[in-house]
Amino acid sequence: MTTTWGEGQEITPPRPTALGWLLVLVRGVTLGVVVFGGLLILLALRFIERPLCGAHRPVTPYITQIVCRTAFIILGIRYRVQGTPMRQRGAIVANHASWLDIFALNARKRIYFVSKAEVAKWPGIGWLARATGTVFINRDRKEAAAQKAMFEERLTIGHKLLFFPEGTSTDGRRVLTFKPTLFAAFFADELRDFLHVQPVTLVYRAPKGADARFYGWWGDMEFGAHMLAVLAAPRQGSVTLIYHEPISVAAAGDRKALAAACQAAVLSGLPEEVRAND
C-alpha cells in the first residue's frame, strides 16, 4: 500500500518492516559513528584553528564535506551535481525540502548555513550546527541591525552563507515565494559591488514505487519518524544539486528583484511536470 502524504492530510511516513529495522540499525549506527566521530575530529582541529585563524576556517570545513559525502554512501542515496559552484564571494540560496538538504549542500561546497535561532537548542543537530559555523538569527526586528552587521562581517571575510529564502521546508515538489528581507544585507555599501548570489535547486527523486515526496520533510511531520523511514528504505532514490549562474548583486537592482530572480532560477531546475503545477 502506498502512503499518501499531502497538504491537509495526516502526514505519516511508512513504518519500517523487519528488513527495514535491520537497515535502520546498520545505517543508523554507521551514520552516527561517522557524523559524531567527524564532529570530534572537527572540534579538535578547531581548537587549534580558532586561535590561529579566528573566524576563518581553512581546514575544518573539509571535515564537514567528507562526513556529508560519506553519509550518502551509507544511506545508499545517489548523489549528483550539475553546474559549477561559483568562485566569486557571496551567498548561496536554495529551495528547502528536507533535513537531507544539509548533507547535500555541504557535500559539494564549503558553506555556512543561516538558520533560525531555535535550531541551536536542538539536541544533536544544534551541536553539529554550532560546530560547523552556522549563523543563527532571530525573527526579531530589534536584532535586525546586529544580524545584518554579522552577515556583512562573514561575507567580507569570504564565507559563503547559505540561505533558505522560503523560510520553511516543503514537500520538494514546489518552490514557495522567496522572502526579500533575507537579501537586504547583500546591498550594504561595503558589499554590493563585489557580491554574487548563486541559486541552487535541490531535486529529490523518490525510491521506485514510493510517494514522489518521500524525501520531503515539512509541515507537522516528526523528524524521528521521517528519518526512520529514510534509513529503513530497502531501495533508495537520488538527490541532484543544480548550480545556476551566479547573479551580481549590483546588477540586480534591489532586494525584491534579486529575490525574484533567484526564485525563478531555482524553480527552473525542478522537473517540468513539477513546474507546470507550481
Side-chain angles (χ1 to χ4, degrees), residues 252-265:
D254 58 37
R255 60 188 176 90
K256 291 184 178 180
L258 180 57
C262 289
Q263 180 183 334

Side-chain angles (χ1 to χ4, degrees), residues 77-260:
I77 298 174
R78 296 182 297 281
Y79 180 82
R80 305 185 180 105
V81 176
Q82 297 177 17
T84 305
M86 69 178 183
R87 294 184 177 274
Q88 301 98 321
R89 284 190 289 175
I92 312 294
V93 295
N95 56 311
H96 190 15
S98 175
W99 52 271
L100 288 165
D101 297 349
I102 297 171
F103 290 95
L105 289 158
N106 265 316
R108 181 60 183 88
K109 182 69 178 175
R110 287 178 293 155
I111 54 174
Y112 300 90
F113 284 83
V114 176
S115 176
K116 57 186 180 181
E118 304 92 271
V119 174
K121 300 177 183 178
W122 292 359
I125 294 177
W127 306 331
L128 292 169
R130 287 195 297 270
T132 54
T134 297
V135 178
F136 296 105
I137 58 173
N138 286 310
R139 308 290 185 183
D140 189 337
R141 291 184 178 181
K142 296 178 181 178
E143 299 185 28
Q147 290 171 0
K148 185 170 179 286
M150 179 171 52
F151 291 158
E152 292 172 12
E153 178 187 4
R154 298 286 291 268
L155 290 165
T156 299
I157 64 175
H159 284 185
K160 285 184 170 60
L161 301 182
L162 186 287
F163 295 80
F164 291 122
E166 293 167 293
T168 186
S169 58
T170 71
D171 60 8
R173 308 285 290 173
R174 69 198 69 223
V175 175
L176 304 179
T177 301
F178 280 15
K179 301 180 186 300
T181 306
L182 294 174
F183 292 82
F186 305 151
F187 288 89
D189 293 337
E190 300 83 0
L191 302 174
R192 181 190 298 113
D193 293 334
F194 68 82
L195 281 190
H196 287 71
V197 178
Q198 184 168 37
V200 176
T201 306
L202 287 150
V203 181
Y204 288 93
R205 289 181 173 83
K208 186 177 180 180
D211 190 292
R213 296 160 290 182
F214 179 79
Y215 291 115
W217 177 55
W218 79 100
D220 296 326
M221 196 179 291
E222 294 182 1
F223 171 73
H226 187 266
M227 186 175 186
L228 277 179
V230 173
L231 290 171
R235 295 180 180 178
Q236 292 285 10
S238 67
V239 58
T240 301
L241 267 66
I242 302 174
Y243 286 86
H244 302 281
E245 284 296 314
I247 300 172
S248 165
V249 171
D254 58 37
R255 60 188 176 90
K256 291 184 178 180
L258 180 57

